[in-house]
Amino acid sequence: MPWKWDMKDEDKDKEQLIGELKRLRRRMMKLKISEIRYKRAKKILKKTREKYKAAFEYAKDPILWIDAKSGFIINCNKSAEFFWEKKREELVGHHQLTLHPLEKAEYYLQAFKIQTDKRYNFAYNEEKGFSYEAEIITKSGKVI
């Protein structure tokens, strides 16, 4: 006897067709539920991104995103611009060591390597990522 999925509809009896129809309806319901869940998750993600972007952009504290492997700044908020007395374009794309006093650059390079190594779990927070305090130098030359 051929497999039921190899059979033509005309060759199937009424119960086979009803069973197939029920299976198709169950699959369609599962797909519809998946579609509804996907749309709901997409809306939640959009709202979360908007909230996160606003919180990042308008935070009172200066925030920098630094690529852990290369050490280059990939994003900053408005407070960082004010704090370093530099425009975003003057920060993003530059190495993090340009933010510190020259004589301490090597120290901060080593500190950053240790802090971004998950094996040490040093200065790492699930919510914030890697975070540490350091001396920085502003555009006007002031060390903070």
Side-chain angles (χ1 to χ4, degrees), residues 2-136:
W3 296 98
K4 57 184 170 186
W5 55 80
D6 288 336
M7 296 173 63
K8 294 180 182 177
D9 285 346
E10 301 86 41
D11 298 333
K12 297 175 188 175
D13 63 25
K14 184 178 178 180
E15 276 129 40
Q16 287 174 316
L17 289 169
I18 290 172
E20 209 171 283
L21 181 61
K22 286 180 180 179
R23 282 189 298 280
L24 287 171
R25 284 184 178 164
R26 280 193 300 271
R27 283 183 66 197
M28 286 193 52
M29 287 302 294
K30 286 180 182 178
L31 288 171
K32 189 66 178 168
I33 289 168
S34 294
E35 181 184 9
I36 290 168
R37 287 179 178 161
Y38 171 78
K39 286 180 179 179
R40 190 177 302 144
K42 194 174 175 182
K43 282 181 185 178
I44 291 169
L45 179 62
K46 183 180 178 187
K47 285 180 183 178
T48 303
R49 280 184 177 157
E50 289 168 358
K51 286 179 185 177
Y52 178 78
K53 182 179 179 185
F56 171 78
E57 217 35 59
Y58 299 105
K60 291 182 181 182
D61 293 327
I63 302 171
L64 297 174
W65 289 349
I66 299 172
D67 181 85
K69 290 181 182 167
S70 69
F72 284 94
I73 301 165
I74 55 176
N75 201 357
C76 70
N77 67 352
K78 293 190 183 302
S79 291
E81 291 181 79
F82 178 77
F83 191 67
W84 271 279
E85 302 170 352
K86 295 181 179 182
K87 297 280 184 200
R88 185 176 194 283
E89 298 77 32
E90 296 175 279
L91 291 166
V92 174
H94 292 85
H95 199 276
Q96 66 174 349
L97 295 181
T98 62
L99 304 175
H100 304 291
L102 190 58
E103 63 276 3
K104 294 196 177 183
E106 184 60 33
Y107 167 80
Y108 287 117
L109 179 63
Q110 295 307 317
F112 189 73
K113 282 181 183 177
I114 291 169
Q115 291 169 347
T116 56
D117 191 331
K118 286 187 180 183
R119 292 177 296 176
Y120 301 115
N121 202 23
F122 182 80
Y124 182 76
N125 179 308
E126 285 293 325
E127 293 176 12
K128 296 180 183 178
F130 296 101
S131 176
Y132 67 98
E133 292 184 17
E135 285 184 342
I136 62 102

